[in-house]
Amino acid sequence: MTISTTAADKRRGKSFLWKIAAALFWVAAWAILSRCIGQELLVPSPAQVIVRLSQLLRETDFWRITAGSLLRIMCGYLAAVAAGVGLAVLTHAAPFLHALVSPLMGIIKATPVASFIILALVWLRGSHIPPFAAFLMVLPIVWGNVSEGLRNTDGKLLEMARMFRLGPWKTAWRIYAPSVLPYFMAGCTTGLGLAWKAGVAAEVLAMPRDSIGLQLYDAKVYLETTDLFAWTLVIIALSMLLEKLLVALMRCLSGRFFCPVREQKEGAG
């Protein structure tokens, strides 16, 4: 056990070093490109962007703007996750509903997000468009992944549940949930990145107040390329941070689902 733990720690440490090295490589490439071009208007240097970002972090408006975008996009994301799970359960229980919903989800996945945003500009208020765009991008992914997890649930375990008359709630909690959870985790993590991309793109077009997308639009209009890079770094950092938090939460849920099963097996052994 000690040897395997040490080996795992070494692998994690080596992976972390590789990630740091890769990040430094691309920052160096960015700096070289900026120096070769020699025009801040086209490609500002990493130092200029970091200085501007540090200035933004000291401004009260920065936190209000970031919180506004975070709230709008995450509302759409969470609504899509809840709707995707509920719809997957319904379509799994009723195959005719699956046949009815599946083409619609395919159309949503195939349609460019810009098309939905332009239509939403006609239908909705500006502040409602980013959550709407995030919702549409995440819904088919969560629905598809959860549906796949439900279909791949072990039939022998379901037969055993019927034999022991566990009931629908215990069957869902003890059998379906552990089977679906890996698919659900994959759908949530993939959807989170798409939600941010779609949400910020919608903000750029809809220009709601207190939004990162509006800051990107203003940076483009006033040719403030350093601001454009700084706000882009903010988007990337928020996306990565939220993904890390989501993965940690999912692992916690996974432990709650699977630990009792392990304990029961060890006790039986």
Side-chain angles (χ1 to χ4, degrees), residues 76-154:
Y77 171 78
L78 293 175
V81 170
V85 172
L87 191 59
V89 172
L90 287 176
T91 54
H92 179 73
F96 76 94
L97 280 179
H98 187 278
L100 190 66
V101 169
S102 183
L104 177 62
M105 293 298 169
I107 291 171
I108 293 174
K109 288 174 68 175
T111 304
V113 64
S115 299
F116 286 122
I117 295 171
I118 292 170
L119 287 173
L121 287 170
V122 180
W123 300 335
L124 304 172
R125 293 173 53 190
S127 60
H128 296 159
I129 295 173
F132 173 75
F135 178 88
L136 283 181
M137 290 301 101
V138 176
L139 177 63
I141 294 173
V142 174
W143 172 80
N145 279 42
V146 174
S147 296
E148 187 70 17
L150 290 170
R151 282 196 299 270
N152 289 331
T153 301
D154 193 339

Side-chain angles (χ1 to χ4, degrees), residues 14 27 30 32 46 54 59 78 92 113 119 127 138 147 149 151 153 156 158 163 165 184 200 204 210 232 242 266:
K14 188 177 292 186
V27 170
W30 174 10
I32 293 169
S54 65
E59 297 176 3
L78 293 175
H92 179 73
V113 64
L119 287 173
S127 60
V138 176
S147 296
R151 282 196 299 270
T153 301
K156 294 180 180 178
L158 294 174
M163 288 177 59
R165 298 179 181 178
F184 176 69
V200 173
V204 172
D210 297 333
T232 302
L242 288 172
E266 288 172 2

